[in-house]
Amino acid sequence: MSEKLVKVYSLSTCSHCKAAKKFLGECEIKYEFVDVDQLEGEERRAILEDVRNFNPRCSFPTIVIGDKVIIGYREQEIKEALGLE
């Protein structure tokens, strides 16, 4: 399995976001995440712009695995993108 950069854009209060992060942790996948609702000001605006580039609807979680973008907690798609199957 190649080491792909995994980034999760999430909200701290979102159950789907929590489930996605928990799943990645259980699979022992290294990932970066940012809880967008915890940011303020220019940092928040910049991150939201990044999210819109991947997901124009700006919904959460937005998960970026290598060059694949997964919107929402879709365990099967995450496994496939990570090469876990």
Side-chain angles (χ1 to χ4, degrees):
M1 178 175 77
S2 65
E3 284 292 313
K4 295 180 181 176
L5 178 65
V6 179
K7 180 115 181 182
V8 179
Y9 296 94
S10 58
L11 300 176
S12 63
T13 58
C14 167
S15 62
H16 296 287
C17 300
K18 289 176 186 173
K21 291 188 276 191
K22 182 174 186 263
F23 176 71
L24 290 169
E26 288 170 350
C27 293
E28 298 183 1
I29 301 299
K30 292 179 190 164
Y31 68 96
E32 297 175 12
F33 75 93
V34 59
D35 284 332
V36 177
D37 58 327
Q38 300 292 305
L39 304 175
E40 294 180 0
E42 190 53 45
E43 185 179 24
R44 185 177 192 156
R45 278 189 288 280
I47 291 293
L48 284 171
E49 188 60 36
D50 288 348
V51 174
R52 281 188 197 94
N53 287 333
F54 295 117
N55 172 10
R57 290 185 55 211
C58 207
S59 55
F60 299 94
T62 295
I63 305 167
V64 182
I65 301 173
D67 58 2
K68 180 158 178 57
V69 178
I70 300 167
I71 310 303
Y73 175 49
R74 304 192 188 292
E75 194 172 303
Q76 190 61 38
E77 286 184 46
I78 294 168
K79 283 183 181 178
E80 289 170 10
L82 292 168
L84 297 178
E85 303 247 275

Short mmCIF file of all heavy atoms in Angstrom, two decimals, residues 10-73:
data_model
loop_
_atom_site.label_atom_id
_atom_site.label_comp_id
_atom_site.label_asym_id
_atom_site.label_seq_id
_atom_site.Cartn_x
_atom_site.Cartn_y
_atom_site.Cartn_z
N SER A 10 -13.26 18.64 8.58
CA SER A 10 -14.37 18.19 9.40
C SER A 10 -14.92 19.31 10.28
O SER A 10 -14.38 20.41 10.31
CB SER A 10 -13.91 17.02 10.27
OG SER A 10 -12.82 17.41 11.09
N LEU A 11 -16.00 18.98 10.97
CA LEU A 11 -16.56 19.84 12.00
C LEU A 11 -16.46 19.09 13.32
O LEU A 11 -16.71 17.88 13.37
CB LEU A 11 -18.03 20.17 11.70
CG LEU A 11 -18.31 20.89 10.39
CD1 LEU A 11 -19.82 21.04 10.18
CD2 LEU A 11 -17.63 22.25 10.36
N SER A 12 -16.13 19.77 14.39
CA SER A 12 -15.91 19.11 15.68
C SER A 12 -17.18 18.47 16.23
O SER A 12 -17.12 17.53 17.01
CB SER A 12 -15.34 20.10 16.70
OG SER A 12 -16.27 21.14 16.94
N THR A 13 -18.35 18.94 15.80
CA THR A 13 -19.62 18.44 16.33
C THR A 13 -20.31 17.44 15.40
O THR A 13 -21.39 16.94 15.72
CB THR A 13 -20.58 19.62 16.55
OG1 THR A 13 -20.75 20.31 15.30
CG2 THR A 13 -20.04 20.58 17.59
N CYS A 14 -19.69 17.10 14.29
CA CYS A 14 -20.31 16.26 13.26
C CYS A 14 -20.07 14.77 13.53
O CYS A 14 -18.93 14.33 13.60
CB CYS A 14 -19.73 16.66 11.91
SG CYS A 14 -20.09 15.53 10.56
N SER A 15 -21.16 14.01 13.67
CA SER A 15 -21.02 12.58 13.97
C SER A 15 -20.38 11.82 12.81
O SER A 15 -19.61 10.88 13.03
CB SER A 15 -22.37 11.97 14.34
OG SER A 15 -23.27 12.07 13.26
N HIS A 16 -20.68 12.21 11.58
CA HIS A 16 -20.07 11.55 10.42
C HIS A 16 -18.57 11.83 10.36
O HIS A 16 -17.79 10.96 9.99
CB HIS A 16 -20.75 12.00 9.12
CG HIS A 16 -22.18 11.61 9.04
ND1 HIS A 16 -22.60 10.32 8.83
CD2 HIS A 16 -23.31 12.35 9.17
CE1 HIS A 16 -23.92 10.27 8.83
NE2 HIS A 16 -24.37 11.50 9.04
N CYS A 17 -18.19 13.05 10.72
CA CYS A 17 -16.77 13.42 10.75
C CYS A 17 -16.04 12.60 11.80
O CYS A 17 -14.95 12.07 11.56
CB CYS A 17 -16.60 14.91 11.05
SG CYS A 17 -17.39 15.99 9.84
N LYS A 18 -16.65 12.47 12.98
CA LYS A 18 -16.04 11.68 14.06
C LYS A 18 -15.89 10.23 13.63
O LYS A 18 -14.87 9.60 13.91
CB LYS A 18 -16.89 11.79 15.33
CG LYS A 18 -16.83 13.15 15.98
CD LYS A 18 -17.76 13.23 17.18
CE LYS A 18 -17.79 14.63 17.75
NZ LYS A 18 -18.79 14.78 18.81
N ALA A 19 -16.92 9.69 12.97
CA ALA A 19 -16.87 8.30 12.52
C ALA A 19 -15.76 8.10 11.49
O ALA A 19 -15.05 7.09 11.53
CB ALA A 19 -18.22 7.89 11.93
N ALA A 20 -15.59 9.05 10.59
CA ALA A 20 -14.53 8.94 9.57
C ALA A 20 -13.15 8.95 10.23
O ALA A 20 -12.29 8.12 9.89
CB ALA A 20 -14.65 10.08 8.56
N LYS A 21 -12.94 9.85 11.17
CA LYS A 21 -11.64 9.92 11.86
C LYS A 21 -11.40 8.65 12.69
O LYS A 21 -10.28 8.13 12.70
CB LYS A 21 -11.56 11.18 12.72
CG LYS A 21 -11.50 12.46 11.88
CD LYS A 21 -11.24 13.68 12.70
CE LYS A 21 -12.47 14.26 13.30
NZ LYS A 21 -12.29 15.59 13.88
N LYS A 22 -12.44 8.15 13.33
CA LYS A 22 -12.31 6.92 14.12
C LYS A 22 -11.94 5.75 13.20
O LYS A 22 -11.06 4.96 13.52
CB LYS A 22 -13.63 6.64 14.84
CG LYS A 22 -13.61 5.41 15.73
CD LYS A 22 -14.92 5.30 16.51
CE LYS A 22 -14.88 4.17 17.51
NZ LYS A 22 -15.47 2.95 17.04
N PHE A 23 -12.60 5.65 12.06
CA PHE A 23 -12.32 4.58 11.10
C PHE A 23 -10.86 4.64 10.61
O PHE A 23 -10.18 3.62 10.59
CB PHE A 23 -13.28 4.66 9.91
CG PHE A 23 -13.00 3.65 8.85
CD1 PHE A 23 -13.27 2.31 9.07
CD2 PHE A 23 -12.45 4.03 7.64
CE1 PHE A 23 -12.99 1.36 8.09
CE2 PHE A 23 -12.17 3.10 6.66
CZ PHE A 23 -12.45 1.76 6.89
N LEU A 24 -10.40 5.82 10.25
CA LEU A 24 -9.01 5.96 9.80
C LEU A 24 -8.04 5.56 10.90
O LEU A 24 -7.04 4.89 10.65
CB LEU A 24 -8.74 7.40 9.35
CG LEU A 24 -9.43 7.82 8.04
CD1 LEU A 24 -9.31 9.32 7.85
CD2 LEU A 24 -8.86 7.07 6.86
N GLY A 25 -8.36 5.95 12.13
CA GLY A 25 -7.52 5.57 13.26
C GLY A 25 -7.48 4.07 13.48
O GLY A 25 -6.42 3.49 13.72
N GLU A 26 -8.65 3.42 13.37
CA GLU A 26 -8.72 1.97 13.54
C GLU A 26 -7.94 1.24 12.46
O GLU A 26 -7.41 0.15 12.69
CB GLU A 26 -10.18 1.51 13.53
CG GLU A 26 -10.93 1.89 14.79
CD GLU A 26 -12.43 1.65 14.70
OE1 GLU A 26 -12.93 1.35 13.60
OE2 GLU A 26 -13.09 1.80 15.74
N CYS A 27 -7.88 1.83 11.27
CA CYS A 27 -7.12 1.23 10.16
C CYS A 27 -5.63 1.59 10.24
O CYS A 27 -4.86 1.22 9.36
CB CYS A 27 -7.68 1.70 8.82
SG CYS A 27 -9.33 1.09 8.49
N GLU A 28 -5.26 2.34 11.28
CA GLU A 28 -3.89 2.79 11.50
C GLU A 28 -3.36 3.60 10.32
O GLU A 28 -2.23 3.46 9.89
CB GLU A 28 -2.98 1.60 11.83
CG GLU A 28 -3.40 0.91 13.11
CD GLU A 28 -2.49 -0.23 13.52
OE1 GLU A 28 -1.49 -0.50 12.83
OE2 GLU A 28 -2.80 -0.85 14.55
N ILE A 29 -4.25 4.46 9.79
CA ILE A 29 -3.90 5.34 8.68
C ILE A 29 -3.47 6.68 9.27
O ILE A 29 -4.18 7.26 10.09
CB ILE A 29 -5.11 5.56 7.74
CG1 ILE A 29 -5.59 4.22 7.16
CG2 ILE A 29 -4.79 6.57 6.65
CD1 ILE A 29 -4.58 3.48 6.32
N LYS A 30 -2.31 7.17 8.85
CA LYS A 30 -1.87 8.50 9.26
C LYS A 30 -2.67 9.51 8.45
O LYS A 30 -2.78 9.39 7.23
CB LYS A 30 -0.38 8.70 8.98
CG LYS A 30 0.51 7.84 9.84
CD LYS A 30 1.96 8.09 9.49
CE LYS A 30 2.84 7.06 10.17
NZ LYS A 30 4.17 7.01 9.61
N TYR A 31 -3.22 10.49 9.13
CA TYR A 31 -4.00 11.50 8.42
C TYR A 31 -3.89 12.83 9.15
O TYR A 31 -3.59 12.88 10.34
CB TYR A 31 -5.46 11.08 8.27
CG TYR A 31 -6.24 11.02 9.58
CD1 TYR A 31 -7.01 12.10 9.99
CD2 TYR A 31 -6.19 9.90 10.39
CE1 TYR A 31 -7.72 12.06 11.17
CE2 TYR A 31 -6.90 9.84 11.58
CZ TYR A 31 -7.66 10.93 11.96
OH TYR A 31 -8.35 10.89 13.14
N GLU A 32 -4.12 13.88 8.39
CA GLU A 32 -4.22 15.22 8.96
C GLU A 32 -5.69 15.59 8.96
O GLU A 32 -6.44 15.15 8.10
CB GLU A 32 -3.47 16.23 8.08
CG GLU A 32 -1.99 15.98 7.95
CD GLU A 32 -1.35 16.95 6.96
OE1 GLU A 32 -1.99 17.93 6.54
OE2 GLU A 32 -0.20 16.68 6.61
N PHE A 33 -6.08 16.38 9.94
CA PHE A 33 -7.46 16.86 9.91
C PHE A 33 -7.51 18.29 10.41
O PHE A 33 -6.61 18.75 11.11
CB PHE A 33 -8.39 15.97 10.76
CG PHE A 33 -8.26 16.16 12.24
CD1 PHE A 33 -9.08 17.05 12.91
CD2 PHE A 33 -7.30 15.47 12.97
CE1 PHE A 33 -8.96 17.23 14.28
CE2 PHE A 33 -7.18 15.64 14.33
CZ PHE A 33 -8.00 16.52 14.99
N VAL A 34 -8.55 18.96 10.00
CA VAL A 34 -8.81 20.30 10.52
C VAL A 34 -10.30 20.40 10.81
O VAL A 34 -11.13 20.07 9.97
CB VAL A 34 -8.33 21.41 9.54
CG1 VAL A 34 -9.00 21.32 8.19
CG2 VAL A 34 -8.52 22.78 10.14
N ASP A 35 -10.61 20.77 12.06
CA ASP A 35 -12.00 21.03 12.44
C ASP A 35 -12.29 22.48 12.07
O ASP A 35 -11.90 23.41 12.79
CB ASP A 35 -12.21 20.79 13.93
CG ASP A 35 -12.29 19.31 14.29
OD1 ASP A 35 -12.69 18.51 13.42
OD2 ASP A 35 -11.96 18.95 15.43
N VAL A 36 -12.94 22.66 10.94
CA VAL A 36 -13.14 23.99 10.36
C VAL A 36 -13.89 24.91 11.32
O VAL A 36 -13.59 26.11 11.40
CB VAL A 36 -13.86 23.87 9.00
CG1 VAL A 36 -14.13 25.24 8.40
CG2 VAL A 36 -13.03 23.02 8.04
N ASP A 37 -14.84 24.36 12.07
CA ASP A 37 -15.61 25.20 12.99
C ASP A 37 -14.79 25.73 14.17
O ASP A 37 -15.23 26.62 14.88
CB ASP A 37 -16.86 24.47 13.48
CG ASP A 37 -16.54 23.17 14.20
OD1 ASP A 37 -15.55 22.51 13.83
OD2 ASP A 37 -17.28 22.80 15.13
N GLN A 38 -13.59 25.20 14.36
CA GLN A 38 -12.72 25.66 15.45
C GLN A 38 -11.81 26.81 15.01
O GLN A 38 -11.10 27.38 15.83
CB GLN A 38 -11.86 24.50 15.95
CG GLN A 38 -12.66 23.33 16.49
CD GLN A 38 -13.39 23.67 17.77
OE1 GLN A 38 -12.79 24.11 18.73
NE2 GLN A 38 -14.70 23.46 17.78
N LEU A 39 -11.81 27.11 13.72
CA LEU A 39 -10.96 28.18 13.18
C LEU A 39 -11.70 29.51 13.20
O LEU A 39 -12.93 29.55 13.26
CB LEU A 39 -10.54 27.85 11.74
CG LEU A 39 -9.83 26.51 11.54
CD1 LEU A 39 -9.60 26.28 10.07
CD2 LEU A 39 -8.54 26.45 12.33
N GLU A 40 -10.92 30.58 13.10
CA GLU A 40 -11.52 31.92 13.07
C GLU A 40 -10.86 32.77 12.00
O GLU A 40 -9.74 32.49 11.57
CB GLU A 40 -11.35 32.60 14.43
CG GLU A 40 -12.11 31.93 15.55
CD GLU A 40 -11.91 32.63 16.89
OE1 GLU A 40 -11.19 33.65 16.93
OE2 GLU A 40 -12.49 32.16 17.88
N GLY A 41 -11.57 33.80 11.60
CA GLY A 41 -11.00 34.84 10.75
C GLY A 41 -10.44 34.35 9.43
O GLY A 41 -11.04 33.52 8.75
N GLU A 42 -9.27 34.88 9.09
CA GLU A 42 -8.65 34.61 7.79
C GLU A 42 -8.30 33.13 7.63
O GLU A 42 -8.44 32.57 6.55
CB GLU A 42 -7.39 35.47 7.62
CG GLU A 42 -6.82 35.44 6.22
CD GLU A 42 -7.84 35.77 5.14
OE1 GLU A 42 -8.61 36.74 5.29
OE2 GLU A 42 -7.87 35.05 4.11
N GLU A 43 -7.86 32.50 8.71
CA GLU A 43 -7.52 31.07 8.64
C GLU A 43 -8.75 30.25 8.24
O GLU A 43 -8.68 29.37 7.38
CB GLU A 43 -6.97 30.60 9.99
CG GLU A 43 -6.47 29.17 9.98
CD GLU A 43 -5.92 28.73 11.32
OE1 GLU A 43 -6.29 29.30 12.38
OE2 GLU A 43 -5.12 27.79 11.32
N ARG A 44 -9.89 30.58 8.84
CA ARG A 44 -11.14 29.87 8.52
C ARG A 44 -11.54 30.12 7.07
O ARG A 44 -11.93 29.20 6.35
CB ARG A 44 -12.24 30.33 9.47
CG ARG A 44 -13.53 29.56 9.29
CD ARG A 44 -14.55 30.01 10.31
NE ARG A 44 -15.67 29.12 10.35
CZ ARG A 44 -16.46 28.96 11.39
NH1 ARG A 44 -16.24 29.62 12.49
NH2 ARG A 44 -17.47 28.15 11.33
N ARG A 45 -11.45 31.37 6.62
CA ARG A 45 -11.80 31.69 5.23
C ARG A 45 -10.91 30.91 4.25
O ARG A 45 -11.39 30.39 3.24
CB ARG A 45 -11.69 33.19 4.97
CG ARG A 45 -12.92 33.97 5.42
CD ARG A 45 -12.87 35.42 4.97
NE ARG A 45 -11.88 36.20 5.70
CZ ARG A 45 -12.06 36.70 6.91
NH1 ARG A 45 -13.19 36.51 7.54
NH2 ARG A 45 -11.11 37.40 7.49
N ALA A 46 -9.62 30.85 4.55
CA ALA A 46 -8.68 30.17 3.66
C ALA A 46 -8.99 28.67 3.59
O ALA A 46 -8.99 28.07 2.50
CB ALA A 46 -7.25 30.40 4.13
N ILE A 47 -9.27 28.05 4.73
CA ILE A 47 -9.58 26.62 4.76
C ILE A 47 -10.89 26.34 4.04
O ILE A 47 -11.00 25.38 3.28
CB ILE A 47 -9.60 26.08 6.20
CG1 ILE A 47 -8.19 26.09 6.80
CG2 ILE A 47 -10.22 24.68 6.26
CD1 ILE A 47 -7.20 25.13 6.17
N LEU A 48 -11.90 27.19 4.25
CA LEU A 48 -13.17 27.00 3.55
C LEU A 48 -13.00 27.10 2.04
O LEU A 48 -13.66 26.39 1.28
CB LEU A 48 -14.22 28.00 4.05
CG LEU A 48 -14.82 27.66 5.41
CD1 LEU A 48 -15.66 28.82 5.92
CD2 LEU A 48 -15.63 26.38 5.35
N GLU A 49 -12.10 27.97 1.60
CA GLU A 49 -11.81 28.07 0.16
C GLU A 49 -11.18 26.77 -0.34
O GLU A 49 -11.53 26.28 -1.41
CB GLU A 49 -10.88 29.27 -0.11
CG GLU A 49 -10.69 29.56 -1.57
CD GLU A 49 -11.98 29.90 -2.30
OE1 GLU A 49 -12.87 30.54 -1.72
OE2 GLU A 49 -12.10 29.49 -3.48
N ASP A 50 -10.27 26.20 0.46
CA ASP A 50 -9.68 24.90 0.11
C ASP A 50 -10.77 23.83 -0.01
O ASP A 50 -10.78 23.05 -0.96
CB ASP A 50 -8.67 24.44 1.18
CG ASP A 50 -7.38 25.24 1.17
OD1 ASP A 50 -7.15 26.00 0.20
OD2 ASP A 50 -6.61 25.10 2.13
N VAL A 51 -11.68 23.80 0.97
CA VAL A 51 -12.76 22.81 0.95
C VAL A 51 -13.61 22.98 -0.30
O VAL A 51 -13.92 22.00 -0.99
CB VAL A 51 -13.64 22.90 2.22
CG1 VAL A 51 -14.84 21.96 2.12
CG2 VAL A 51 -12.83 22.59 3.48
N ARG A 52 -13.95 24.22 -0.65
CA ARG A 52 -14.78 24.47 -1.85
C ARG A 52 -14.08 24.01 -3.13
O ARG A 52 -14.75 23.60 -4.07
CB ARG A 52 -15.14 25.95 -1.95
CG ARG A 52 -16.28 26.34 -1.05
CD ARG A 52 -16.76 27.76 -1.30
NE ARG A 52 -17.56 28.19 -0.17
CZ ARG A 52 -17.08 28.87 0.87
NH1 ARG A 52 -15.83 29.25 0.91
NH2 ARG A 52 -17.88 29.20 1.87
N ASN A 53 -12.76 24.07 -3.16
CA ASN A 53 -12.03 23.58 -4.33
C ASN A 53 -12.23 22.08 -4.51
O ASN A 53 -12.28 21.58 -5.64
CB ASN A 53 -10.54 23.91 -4.21
CG ASN A 53 -10.25 25.37 -4.42
OD1 ASN A 53 -10.98 26.08 -5.11
ND2 ASN A 53 -9.18 25.85 -3.80
N PHE A 54 -12.33 21.35 -3.41
CA PHE A 54 -12.56 19.91 -3.47
C PHE A 54 -14.03 19.56 -3.54
O PHE A 54 -14.42 18.57 -4.15
CB PHE A 54 -11.98 19.22 -2.22
CG PHE A 54 -10.49 19.30 -2.10
CD1 PHE A 54 -9.91 19.97 -1.04
CD2 PHE A 54 -9.66 18.71 -3.04
CE1 PHE A 54 -8.53 20.05 -0.91
CE2 PHE A 54 -8.28 18.79 -2.92
CZ PHE A 54 -7.72 19.45 -1.86
N ASN A 55 -14.86 20.37 -2.89
CA ASN A 55 -16.27 20.07 -2.70
C ASN A 55 -17.07 21.38 -2.73
O ASN A 55 -17.21 22.04 -1.71
CB ASN A 55 -16.42 19.36 -1.34
CG ASN A 55 -17.86 19.16 -0.92
OD1 ASN A 55 -18.79 19.37 -1.69
ND2 ASN A 55 -18.04 18.75 0.32
N PRO A 56 -17.56 21.77 -3.90
CA PRO A 56 -18.26 23.06 -4.04
C PRO A 56 -19.43 23.24 -3.07
O PRO A 56 -19.76 24.36 -2.71
CB PRO A 56 -18.75 23.04 -5.49
CG PRO A 56 -17.80 22.14 -6.19
CD PRO A 56 -17.43 21.08 -5.18
N ARG A 57 -20.05 22.14 -2.61
CA ARG A 57 -21.16 22.26 -1.66
C ARG A 57 -20.65 22.55 -0.25
O ARG A 57 -21.43 22.90 0.63
CB ARG A 57 -21.98 20.97 -1.64
CG ARG A 57 -22.76 20.78 -2.94
CD ARG A 57 -23.66 19.57 -2.90
NE ARG A 57 -24.56 19.61 -1.77
CZ ARG A 57 -25.01 18.52 -1.14
NH1 ARG A 57 -24.64 17.33 -1.54
NH2 ARG A 57 -25.84 18.63 -0.13
N CYS A 58 -19.36 22.36 -0.03
CA CYS A 58 -18.73 22.68 1.26
C CYS A 58 -19.41 21.91 2.40
O CYS A 58 -19.74 22.47 3.43
CB CYS A 58 -18.74 24.18 1.50
SG CYS A 58 -17.41 24.71 2.57
N SER A 59 -19.62 20.61 2.18
CA SER A 59 -20.22 19.77 3.21
C SER A 59 -19.13 18.95 3.89
O SER A 59 -18.02 18.83 3.38
CB SER A 59 -21.30 18.87 2.60
OG SER A 59 -20.78 18.13 1.52
N PHE A 60 -19.49 18.37 5.04
CA PHE A 60 -18.48 17.69 5.85
C PHE A 60 -18.94 16.28 6.22
O PHE A 60 -20.13 16.07 6.38
CB PHE A 60 -18.21 18.51 7.11
CG PHE A 60 -17.67 19.87 6.80
CD1 PHE A 60 -18.51 20.96 6.70
CD2 PHE A 60 -16.32 20.05 6.57
CE1 PHE A 60 -18.01 22.21 6.38
CE2 PHE A 60 -15.81 21.30 6.27
CZ PHE A 60 -16.67 22.38 6.17
N PRO A 61 -17.99 15.35 6.37
CA PRO A 61 -16.57 15.54 6.12
C PRO A 61 -16.25 15.56 4.63
O PRO A 61 -16.93 14.93 3.84
CB PRO A 61 -15.93 14.31 6.79
CG PRO A 61 -16.99 13.25 6.70
CD PRO A 61 -18.30 13.98 6.84
N THR A 62 -15.21 16.28 4.29
CA THR A 62 -14.61 16.21 2.97
C THR A 62 -13.25 15.55 3.19
O THR A 62 -12.42 16.08 3.93
CB THR A 62 -14.46 17.61 2.34
OG1 THR A 62 -15.76 18.17 2.13
CG2 THR A 62 -13.72 17.54 1.01
N ILE A 63 -13.06 14.39 2.59
CA ILE A 63 -11.86 13.59 2.81
C ILE A 63 -11.07 13.53 1.51
O ILE A 63 -11.61 13.16 0.47
CB ILE A 63 -12.23 12.17 3.27
CG1 ILE A 63 -13.13 12.23 4.51
CG2 ILE A 63 -10.98 11.32 3.51
CD1 ILE A 63 -13.81 10.93 4.86
N VAL A 64 -9.80 13.91 1.59
CA VAL A 64 -8.94 13.90 0.41
C VAL A 64 -7.89 12.82 0.64
O VAL A 64 -7.12 12.87 1.61
CB VAL A 64 -8.27 15.27 0.19
CG1 VAL A 64 -7.42 15.26 -1.07
CG2 VAL A 64 -9.33 16.38 0.12
N ILE A 65 -7.88 11.84 -0.26
CA ILE A 65 -6.91 10.74 -0.19
C ILE A 65 -6.16 10.73 -1.52
O ILE A 65 -6.71 10.35 -2.54
CB ILE A 65 -7.61 9.39 0.04
CG1 ILE A 65 -8.41 9.44 1.34
CG2 ILE A 65 -6.59 8.25 0.07
CD1 ILE A 65 -9.29 8.23 1.60
N GLY A 66 -4.89 11.18 -1.48
CA GLY A 66 -4.15 11.33 -2.72
C GLY A 66 -4.87 12.33 -3.61
O GLY A 66 -5.09 13.47 -3.23
N ASP A 67 -5.29 11.87 -4.80
CA ASP A 67 -6.02 12.77 -5.71
C ASP A 67 -7.52 12.46 -5.73
O ASP A 67 -8.25 12.96 -6.56
CB ASP A 67 -5.42 12.72 -7.12
CG ASP A 67 -5.43 11.31 -7.71
OD1 ASP A 67 -5.93 10.37 -7.05
OD2 ASP A 67 -4.93 11.15 -8.83
N LYS A 68 -7.98 11.62 -4.81
CA LYS A 68 -9.41 11.27 -4.74
C LYS A 68 -10.08 12.05 -3.62
O LYS A 68 -9.52 12.19 -2.54
CB LYS A 68 -9.56 9.77 -4.49
CG LYS A 68 -11.00 9.32 -4.42
CD LYS A 68 -11.12 7.85 -4.70
CE LYS A 68 -12.55 7.35 -4.60
NZ LYS A 68 -13.50 8.00 -5.45
N VAL A 69 -11.28 12.55 -3.90
CA VAL A 69 -12.05 13.29 -2.91
C VAL A 69 -13.31 12.48 -2.58
O VAL A 69 -14.03 12.06 -3.48
CB VAL A 69 -12.45 14.69 -3.44
CG1 VAL A 69 -13.30 15.42 -2.42
CG2 VAL A 69 -11.21 15.49 -3.79
N ILE A 70 -13.53 12.27 -1.30
CA ILE A 70 -14.71 11.54 -0.83
C ILE A 70 -15.52 12.51 0.03
O ILE A 70 -14.99 13.09 0.97
CB ILE A 70 -14.32 10.29 -0.03
CG1 ILE A 70 -13.49 9.35 -0.93
CG2 ILE A 70 -15.55 9.59 0.53
CD1 ILE A 70 -12.80 8.23 -0.19
N ILE A 71 -16.79 12.67 -0.33
CA ILE A 71 -17.67 13.56 0.40
C ILE A 71 -18.53 12.71 1.31
O ILE A 71 -19.22 11.81 0.85
CB ILE A 71 -18.57 14.37 -0.57
CG1 ILE A 71 -17.77 15.03 -1.69
CG2 ILE A 71 -19.42 15.37 0.21
CD1 ILE A 71 -16.68 15.95 -1.24
N GLY A 72 -18.47 12.99 2.60
CA GLY A 72 -19.24 12.21 3.56
C GLY A 72 -18.45 11.01 4.05
O GLY A 72 -17.34 10.73 3.57
N TYR A 73 -19.01 10.31 5.02
CA TYR A 73 -18.36 9.12 5.57
C TYR A 73 -18.82 7.91 4.77
O TYR A 73 -19.90 7.38 4.99
CB TYR A 73 -18.69 8.97 7.05
CG TYR A 73 -18.15 7.70 7.65
CD1 TYR A 73 -16.82 7.34 7.46
CD2 TYR A 73 -18.95 6.86 8.40
CE1 TYR A 73 -16.31 6.18 8.01
CE2 TYR A 73 -18.44 5.70 8.95
CZ TYR A 73 -17.13 5.36 8.75
OH TYR A 73 -16.63 4.20 9.28
#
